[in-house]
Amino acid sequence: YLMAQVQDLARADARYNAKLIRFLAFHLTPYVAQGRFKTKREYVHHLNQLEIRTLRGEKVRSQEEAAIANYLAINGVEYAYEAYYKRETATALHSQYRPDFYLPEEDLYLEHFAIDEHGKTPPFIDQQQYSEGIKWKRDLHNQYGTRLIETYSHEFRDGSVFEALETRLRDAGVTLNPISLAELLAQTADQKADAHPFAKLVGNFVNLLKSSAKDWASLRGAARVAEDGGRSLAFLDLVEPVFTRYNATMRAQNEVDFNDMINEAARALDAGQYRSPYLYILVDEFQDISLSRANMLRALLRSRPEAGVFCVGDDWQAIFRFTGSDISLTSAFDQQFGQARTVALDLTFRFNDKISAFASAFVMKNEAQVKKTIRTLTRAEGPAVTLVQHGKDSNEAAIETCLAAIGARAEAGATVYMLGRYGFNQPKLFSEFQRRHPKLRLEYHTAHGSKGKEADYALVLDVSEGKHGFPSLMDDDPLLSLVLPTREAFPHAEERRLFYVAVTRARHHTYILAPIHAPSVFVREMLEKQGTDYEFEHLVTAQASKDLAASAPCPTCDGRLLPRASKGGEPYYQCTSQPYCEERANVCETCRRAPMVRQQQGHRCADAACGAQAQTCPRCGIGQLTLRSGRKGAFWGCSNYQRGLCGYTQNGAASR
């Protein structure tokens, strides 16, 4: 519905249409300059949170490349991303060249270089190596007489990039044919209109705005000081007319939405149009309350000063900030509602003492959470939490292992919850699992959807690293911070509470399943603190052990190096965070079963039983020197020659 309102406004107002197209092309995802990141690890983590894609759905290596692709798309310029150069360039020192963009209709190449106005790279990019790469590319185009235009990161920072790009394109004979909004949306036809990222963003913003009880003046004040290159102000210019039209439509139809009912009720109470008859007000699930609902509660109390309020809530289960819930209304209740007495409901029948001890220790790592001790009615013999680390492609086998263990101990009719961070985490073989284990009653829920429910056993699935992992790295869009409660300082604070909710759905035993090649920060914390802060069983499946032996931690980011094969069948290792992390490793030439991983001092085989070593390239500091054969005999060359990143060589007779 809201996207239809947006399109109606665009059709009626050319200026609105131009602003919308520009926002969709350049501001749909928040931009952070590469220069703000000190290490490649920080930068890759940032990109993994965003999963940068163009308007056409292409996964590209940077936000700047995405913006250039989108500029070409909205101006009707056909392009190919990282297509192979039309001349053969593969040599002993360079792989086949793949320029950033190729414009086939004009036979024109476009390269985007991550350098400032002085030719300097971001801190995490090797200056000499990158400069040599730029020179090699320019020389190649000169050698073959192919046309090349360039853009630079500093043009993004000073806002001149698109004006400069337009000039360079026109000078190269490229005709710009700006497309319509309908054509732009058609390029993302694989997404339903209501599921378009902008539609979701507008819908969430409008809902949260009403829930936050903020006004447009305060929003624009916050947007003016936001360090986002004018993104917040550009968004408000688009969403305010939608908000105005939405409200006008509801008034004309004599309708209200849920948030309006709350806000209008509070206004009626404060205006004296209604006096509350209630002497006692009970609020359940108080940790989920939003500011607008808290305002209505205050208005009820002001309407009848002698009334009392009793609120039941658990700040450990506050997991709905994305809907406007504000945990500070619970954790700082006295400051919000005046002097109060706290009654601890500290006895639970839901789970046993071992689950309680594990989950309580986990959630209270955040010192901002209210400290409490949970007593349980039941006690367990031995650990009641099991961490199961499985192989990259053996999630289903790990689930089967857990269900078999449950079936061996559970009574007929025992309930088992499979819990995922998202709906798509539901196992593909869910129905098959139920057929195999008729003794058990299986249900799938998201972690959010499981709140308030309970089962005999629980399997928390896919506790992995990544955008859709647990904790999820799919952060709220910074634009929503204009209308959301203030974010907590503790990392993954709400995701930690959500994990607590998932773990405590089981009465008897909880299984936590995590891929061994990409364990989440929660799993890494568990393993680091096992036996001190956390008591749990640890099971590593046979496939996980095999996968672990065949992989290694990435020396650049938080990913892992996994085995791959080139088009020609040549084995190598690549980081799971590609294309954002370009770390690769050669197969150890000694044992031929593990990667040669870059370390501070040289390269070392990841297989400790092998222990082979190699000298790190003295020029780029990343590749390793490997023995090669050339026209003049044997020589030592940097392994990065395969990617066209470093051409260092030395005589084969020289010592390594």
Side-chain angles (χ1 to χ4, degrees):
Y1 172 78
L2 289 174
M3 198 61 183
Q5 297 289 316
V6 168
Q7 291 174 274
D8 286 346
L9 285 164
R11 281 190 287 266
D13 186 338
R15 288 181 300 177
Y16 187 93
N17 182 75
K19 289 180 180 179
L20 176 59
I21 289 178
R22 187 172 184 83
F23 187 92
L24 291 175
F26 313 132
H27 290 312
L28 195 55
T29 57
Y31 169 69
V32 181
Q34 293 182 19
R36 292 181 58 179
F37 299 94
K38 295 181 180 179
T39 67
K40 186 66 175 284
R41 188 178 302 273
E42 293 176 358
Y43 182 59
V44 171
H45 179 77
H46 167 71
L47 293 181
N48 275 327
Q49 286 180 292
L50 296 176
E51 191 177 300
I52 307 301
R53 290 188 183 273
T54 68
L55 288 170
R56 295 180 180 177
E58 302 151 313
K59 191 172 183 179
V60 296
R61 297 180 187 274
S62 73
Q63 290 179 280
E64 293 176 358
E65 286 188 349
I68 292 170
N70 292 345
Y71 178 87
L72 297 173
I74 68 172
N75 282 288
V77 179
E78 184 60 36
Y79 70 86
Y81 179 68
E82 290 195 338
Y84 286 107
Y85 187 58
K86 63 182 181 180
R87 296 296 187 97
E88 182 64 38
T89 66
T91 68
L93 297 181
H94 287 286
S95 60
Q96 180 61 27
Y97 176 38
R98 299 176 67 177
D100 292 333
F101 299 95
Y102 175 59
L103 282 53
E105 294 180 358
E106 292 79 12
D107 194 21
L108 178 68
Y109 293 92
L110 190 162
E111 285 280 15
H112 178 67
F113 296 128
I115 55 176
D116 65 15
E117 56 272 29
H118 305 295
K120 300 295 184 183
T121 61
F124 58 85
I125 295 179
D126 182 87
Q127 178 69 57
Q128 180 178 349
Q129 177 183 325
Y130 197 83
S131 297
E132 288 178 353
I134 292 176
K135 182 179 185 302
W136 180 82
K137 292 172 184 178
R138 289 171 175 167
D139 289 346
L140 196 68
H141 286 282
N142 287 332
Q143 177 184 349
Y144 290 111
T146 49
R147 297 193 300 159
L148 172 70
I149 60 175
E150 302 174 1
T151 54
Y152 315 99
S153 288
H154 68 83
E155 294 175 319
F156 275 90
R157 292 196 292 277
D158 64 23
S160 65
V161 63
F162 299 116
E163 181 179 349
L165 180 55
E166 179 178 349
T167 298
R168 291 164 197 158
L169 288 170
R170 292 190 186 279
D171 288 347
V174 179
T175 301
L176 303 184
N177 296 299
I179 64 176
S180 67
L181 177 62
E183 291 173 309
L184 176 58
L185 294 176
Q187 291 184 3
T188 55
D190 58 314
Q191 305 177 57
K192 296 179 181 178
D194 291 340
H196 191 281
F198 186 71
K200 290 183 176 180
L201 185 60
V202 171
N204 287 340
F205 191 90
V206 168
N207 183 56
L208 291 168
L209 172 57
K210 292 193 172 192
S211 179
S212 71
K214 292 185 178 180
D215 57 40
W216 287 99
S218 65
L219 292 177
R220 289 196 172 276
R224 290 189 190 96
V225 298
E227 297 181 357
D228 60 0
R231 182 173 183 256
S232 293
L233 284 172
F235 179 71
L236 293 182
D237 284 345
L238 293 172
V239 77
E240 186 172 4
V242 176
F243 185 80
T244 301
R245 175 180 280 214
Y246 171 65
N247 286 332
T249 300
M250 285 199 300
R251 284 195 300 270
Q253 297 175 353
N254 199 28
E255 296 176 346
V256 293
D257 59 23
F258 183 77
N259 284 306
D260 279 339
M261 286 192 286
I262 300 293
N263 295 331
E264 290 299 326
R267 281 193 284 268
L269 284 161
D270 284 335
Q273 296 173 273
Y274 176 80
R275 184 172 186 271
S276 173
Y278 305 111
L279 285 175
Y280 304 100
I281 303 171
L282 172 63
V283 183
D284 196 11
E285 301 289 355
F286 188 80
Q287 76 278 350
D288 298 332
I289 197 169
S290 66
L291 182 60
S292 62
R293 298 178 198 185
N295 286 340
M296 190 184 78
L297 179 58
R298 293 190 188 95
L300 282 168
L301 295 173
R302 286 193 294 268
S303 173
R304 187 136 191 178
E306 70 273 25
V309 61
F310 186 84
C311 301
V312 181
D314 181 5
D315 71 305
W316 289 9
Q317 299 188 65
I319 58 174
F320 292 109
R321 177 179 178 267
F322 66 93
T323 67
S325 299
D326 190 342
I327 191 175
S328 69
L329 295 169
T330 301
S331 58
F333 186 88
D334 289 5
Q335 299 174 28
Q336 300 289 339
F337 293 93
Q339 187 175 0
R341 183 165 67 95
T342 300
V343 178
L345 304 178
D346 57 0
L347 179 63
T348 181
F349 57 85
R350 174 170 284 154
F351 43 84
N352 60 45
D353 60 325
K354 297 301 173 60
I355 292 177
S356 177
F358 175 91
S360 297
F362 186 83
V363 78
M364 283 196 293
K365 287 293 182 182
N366 180 359
E367 295 183 356
Q369 301 290 166
V370 175
K371 300 296 183 288
K372 46 184 173 271
T373 301
I374 303 298
R375 297 180 295 120
T376 64
L377 285 175
T378 56
R379 300 180 64 82
E381 296 296 330
V385 174
T386 298
L387 171 63
V388 182
Q389 290 192 276
H390 57 79
K392 185 175 185 296
D393 300 314
S394 60
N395 180 47
E396 309 285 0
I399 293 173
E400 177 62 33
T401 298
C402 295
L403 293 178
I406 293 171
R409 71 172 76 171
E411 296 180 356
T415 53
V416 180
Y417 282 177
M418 295 186 189
L419 305 176
R421 181 60 182 81
Y422 298 97
F424 56 71
N425 293 124
Q426 178 171 334
K428 295 179 180 178
L429 298 181
F430 182 81
S431 297
E432 176 64 17
F433 287 133
Q434 184 66 82
R435 187 190 66 78
R436 294 178 193 170
H437 301 276
K439 175 182 175 181
L440 306 176
R441 290 191 293 122
L442 308 183
E443 295 182 26
Y444 179 81
H445 299 279
T446 64
H448 281 98
S450 72
K451 186 171 176 290
K453 298 181 173 68
E454 59 189 54
D456 294 308
Y457 300 89
L459 277 62
V460 187
L461 308 177
D462 299 319
V463 186
S464 59
E465 187 74 14
K467 180 179 179 180
H468 296 109
F470 203 163
S472 170
L473 298 184
M474 192 167 63
D475 205 2
D476 293 321
D477 192 296
L479 290 171
L480 298 181
S481 66
L482 295 170
V483 287
L484 278 172
T486 303
R487 180 181 297 280
E488 299 162 84
F490 194 81
H492 308 300
E494 186 162 346
E495 291 286 310
R496 181 174 289 266
R497 294 192 292 271
L498 183 61
F499 190 67
Y500 166 85
V501 167
V503 168
T504 56
R505 293 312 92 189
R507 296 187 187 94
H508 306 310
H509 204 107
T510 296
Y511 295 84
I512 299 168
L513 280 67
I516 202 161
H517 70 281
S520 84
V521 64
F522 291 164
V523 172
R524 295 199 298 271
E525 177 184 318
M526 288 170 57
L527 293 171
E528 290 170 4
K529 302 294 184 180
Q530 184 178 13
T532 55
D533 297 353
Y534 305 131
E535 181 185 1
F536 61 91
E537 292 180 309
H538 185 201
L539 172 63
V540 179
T541 67
Q543 184 61 48
S545 297
K546 182 178 179 181
D547 287 355
L548 189 63
S551 68
C554 176
T556 298
C557 71
D558 293 325
R560 287 192 72 83
L561 300 175
L562 297 182
R564 298 283 188 269
S566 67
K567 290 184 177 180
E570 185 69 21
Y572 67 95
Y573 286 78
Q574 186 173 49
C575 179
T576 53
S577 292
Q578 61 88 27
Y580 309 132
C581 177
E582 298 178 352
E583 189 73 38
R584 288 166 59 127
N586 293 339
V587 176
C588 175
E589 295 183 354
T590 300
C591 69
R592 302 301 298 175
R593 62 175 178 265
M596 291 293 288
V597 181
R598 179 170 54 87
Q599 300 178 325
Q600 288 185 341
Q601 299 294 329
H603 282 68
R604 182 182 293 273
C605 178
D607 187 339
C610 173
Q613 300 182 50
Q615 181 180 331
T616 298
C617 174
R619 176 179 297 175
C620 71
I622 298 176
Q624 70 184 66
L625 297 186
T626 57
L627 192 61
R628 297 285 182 261
S629 296
R631 287 177 295 179
K632 297 182 180 180
F635 66 94
W636 294 104
C638 177
S639 59
N640 270 331
Y641 78 88
Q642 296 172 332
R643 292 181 284 164
L645 297 178
C646 181
Y648 178 81
T649 62
Q650 66 181 40
N651 190 294
S655 171
R656 285 187 296 170

